[in-house]
Amino acid sequence: MHKYEHRKIEEKWQKHWLDNKLFKTKNDRFHEKYYVLDMFPYPSASGLHVGHIEGYTATDIMSRLKRMQGFNVLHPMGWDAYGLPSEQYALATGKDPKSFTYQNISNFKRQIIEMGKGVDWDKELATTDPEYFKWTQWIFKRLYEKGLAVLKDVEVNWCEGLGTVLANDEIEIINGQMVSERGHYPVIKKPMRQWVLRITEYADRLLDDLALVDWPENLKEMQRNWIGKSSGAVIEFEVASTDYKFEIFTTRPDTIYGVTYCVLSPEHPLVEKIVTKDEEKDVLKYIEQTKMKSDLDRIADKTKTGVFTGAFAKHPLTNQLIPIWIGDYVLPQYGMGAVMAVPAHDDRDYDFAMQYGLNIIEVIKGGSEGAYTGDGIHHHSGIIDGLYNDEAIEKITKHLEDRKKGYKHHTYKLRDWVFSRQRYWGEPFPVIYDEDGQIHLVPDDELPLELPYLEFIKPSGTGESPLANAHDWLYVDINGKKGRRDTNTMPQLAGSSWYYIGYILKSNLGYIPLDSKEAKAVLDQFLPVDLYVGGTEHAVGHLLYARFWHKFFYDLGFVSSKEPFMKLVNQGMILGADHSKMSKSKGNSVSPDDFIQSHGADALRLFEMFMGPLEAEKPWSNEGLDGAKRFLDRVWRMFDFEITQQPVESLQTVYHQTVKKVTEDYEKLAFNTAISQMMIFVNEVYKTKVIGAAQARGFLKLLNPIAPHLTEEINETVLKHHEDLVYSEWPTYDESFLIETEVEVAIQVNGKLRGRLQVKKDMVEEDLKKLALEHENVIKHVEGLTIVKVIVIPNKIVNIVVR
């Protein structure tokens, strides 16, 4: 047989697959569909890394398996191509983000083809393609029409020194103050009018429908915690000697008789209205200091700080006067931006009260040092005296409702999705504002609204995006009035919230309109996604937002499934050889290109699948890759052995065991153990030096999803099969061969291994003893000694005790 030249063979089969579009999704309603999806990559300048290859190989194995099992497989690929890194690179180099983004895409595509991934390239899309983001803009218009996209004053991170708004990851905290990562200029919180998507309208459905999906439990828990549903009551407090009122949300209305002060967030709209002259200077200074802190710092600060406003609230049930403070540990967006403080039964309130010498009143018997937060009997609590927590909460809530001082309520940690970015490189909003501030939507037939070309993308200096400099694009005529487009663009997560649908709608002729009957039919055929593989870093970003948009599409009748992704698997990170996260700065990152040249794509795929369970973290090892290449060389040489028309009898059991185990392991995504079983099979063939033609082709089919190039080459050149493995039928096993008729029995003399016997299973003990004692190596070791006894463990060991 000719030499295994991996590069030549891999290039041959990759060309064959592309030229013949062998992975094209069929317009076939007679076969069950299987939709397998990768989290599409951001096409960075550095290209694919070995972590990408891991997830992409896993999905490719499943798509190849399912195709051979007779499914109509959809396995697409695309590019998450908008976003901040491109804009930053454009700013640093003066290059146009569009040109280098598409250069990066062509490099990524080359690498994916060279790794042997079987993709339907007719479905390829990029979020930056005008014909794709036309529909992203169209979806935004529908969200606006349904009241789910609204303009709000939202706090942003404003950097005067750079003249721009910064994302959280562009900010550092130095000495407790926010500064820009670039240049260390001061950063403050500042309200700015922005588009917000009301994901909170879907909070309960996003929680409840997690029960419908097969996702890792830790990922579901991350979403539950992010949505953060809390049940309790809203209670109204009046500001003494004024007409002002404010509401607080609490999960513990039963502790209301223990309230000794209230704390408003520094941003609360009432603060500047109720502050007294004596306290005004301190309060305003504290508000300014708060603007320079990040939310995370405000929550995490061990030492709680605050300032007294000089104003008092009336206790809603006793009318006692309660001091009103402001404190930066209360965030404006959580609850109602205000808390009723019960220092005897809340740790944060206790710390604050101790710091500022405020009253502490116990209303639940706990008898502990500090705040008691557990269950207990209420006292000093009016109508709920003598009750435990749950009963007390129910009774006091009803009492507050009867007196019109409060009501039962649920609140969520989940915030509405701030959808505006002060950036150039994103989808423009399809809206125009007229002179009166009225909003006009760009008509559907004028979409896509494309970005204007800018010679150099520099900040506008006003806090708006660089689009504020594109005057010819910015100002338009709208019904005889002057109009101005929105200078913000959509976030990177816009395009990734529906791309799995975009793939289904994409054809050679463009996109099937999302609201058409044709779209409904094809979306019903392929949705939901059967298997989605990607990293956990998207747990509360992309995965939450895609679920939200999907539920919106469900409400509009575009899709029939309540959830987009039925099964989700998080692949584990591939670490550097030093067991730390790969990065260029550490010099431990690994590019797949070199290894595809030196070892081949099949070896790289095999090695990454053999490193350990798909979900586990695994360190890179060049030696392991060498081992993978040696195994494939061994498979190649195995086909130099005699190939008979009839199955080799002695291989039948291990062959059928291998078909069974590999099939079951692939279905469980347990690729490492499937490979181990195939190695066992190869070892057995090397013992017999002969293999049946059907056994040989069956084995090639089992290995094909992992090592597609090598197996197709052997199938064609050695077995002379005209049918490609990729469209062959997956092998099946015969149960009758799984029952082993022979076993290997070890023979020991005084506990030391002296020989092995291949015998019939469940052999009579006397016959087994006789064979053991007749073994020539045993005769040598018992010569001249007395046999004291012979211990037999059926089907396993014969131990001869001598002295």
Side-chain angles (χ1 to χ4, degrees), residues 521-799:
V522 73
L523 291 173
D524 280 356
Q525 182 187 355
F526 282 103
L527 287 175
V529 172
D530 295 282
L531 174 66
Y532 196 15
V533 174
T536 48
E537 66 273 19
H538 301 290
V540 293
H542 156 65
L543 287 170
L544 197 60
Y545 296 139
R547 292 181 64 221
F548 161 41
W549 277 34
H550 192 87
K551 290 179 187 310
F552 176 61
F553 298 148
Y554 177 81
D555 291 348
L556 293 180
F558 298 162
V559 298
S560 298
S561 59
K562 289 184 177 180
E563 285 289 324
F565 317 120
M566 285 322 287
K567 182 175 177 65
L568 183 93
V569 174
N570 297 129
Q571 87 263 22
M573 196 180 288
I574 292 186
L575 305 172
D578 58 357
H579 290 252
S580 70
K581 190 175 175 180
M582 283 190 185
S583 73
K584 278 189 176 173
S585 59
K586 287 182 188 164
N588 66 351
S589 62
V590 178
S591 162
D593 285 353
D594 299 339
F595 294 111
I596 285 173
Q597 291 299 323
S598 62
H599 292 69
D602 283 342
L604 182 60
R605 290 164 63 109
L606 181 92
F607 167 57
E608 292 209 23
M609 294 303 97
F610 192 54
M611 288 169 88
L614 184 62
E615 296 89 343
E617 282 192 344
K618 301 159 282 268
W620 181 263
S621 146
N622 288 348
E623 293 75 25
L625 187 56
D626 294 340
K629 177 73 165 65
R630 280 196 300 274
F631 172 68
L632 293 181
D633 288 340
R634 193 166 156 79
V635 170
W636 182 263
R637 291 194 307 274
M638 184 173 97
F639 284 81
D640 284 333
F641 297 149
E642 183 191 349
I643 298 171
T644 59
Q645 284 313 301
Q646 292 304 312
V648 173
E649 203 58 44
S650 62
L651 291 176
Q652 283 290 62
T653 295
V654 72
Y655 171 75
H656 287 276
Q657 282 175 339
T658 302
V659 173
K660 182 177 193 287
K661 180 149 181 63
V662 171
T663 306
E664 289 172 355
D665 284 354
Y666 278 178
E667 295 282 7
K668 293 186 293 196
L669 280 71
F671 306 122
N672 57 326
T673 52
I675 293 166
S676 296
Q677 181 62 37
M678 287 187 272
M679 288 174 169
I680 290 168
F681 178 78
V682 170
N683 287 342
E684 290 304 311
V685 176
Y686 266 78
K687 288 177 188 172
T688 62
K689 302 280 194 293
V690 60
I691 185 170
Q695 292 167 330
R697 192 157 193 260
F699 171 74
L700 287 179
K701 289 179 185 184
L702 296 178
L703 183 59
N704 175 265
I706 292 176
H709 312 87
L710 169 130
T711 49
E712 291 286 10
E713 182 69 11
I714 296 171
N715 179 61
E716 182 189 72
T717 59
V718 180
L719 300 187
K720 308 291 185 195
H721 254 281
H722 299 300
E723 181 195 45
D724 288 1
L725 293 173
V726 66
Y727 274 109
S728 67
E729 204 171 300
W730 189 252
T732 55
Y733 58 88
D734 184 336
E735 289 278 358
S736 66
F737 286 108
L738 300 179
I739 302 157
E740 295 205 38
T741 55
E742 286 200 342
V743 291
E744 189 178 73
V745 173
I747 315 169
Q748 297 175 342
V749 177
N750 284 355
K752 286 189 178 167
L753 182 68
R754 297 304 181 193
R756 294 180 190 277
L757 286 171
Q758 202 72 25
V759 297
K760 280 187 178 168
K761 200 176 176 197
D762 300 325
M763 187 180 241
V764 176
E765 279 192 29
E766 282 311 311
D767 294 346
L768 196 52
K769 273 184 196 178
K770 188 169 179 290
L771 281 174
L773 291 167
E774 287 169 358
H775 193 286
E776 61 178 311
N777 199 37
V778 171
I779 292 167
K780 213 162 53 180
H781 282 89
V782 300
E783 206 173 354
L785 300 170
T786 308
I787 296 172
V788 179
K789 60 179 168 181
V790 179
I791 302 159
V792 177
I793 300 172
N795 301 320
K796 289 191 176 172
I797 297 169
V798 177
N799 187 20

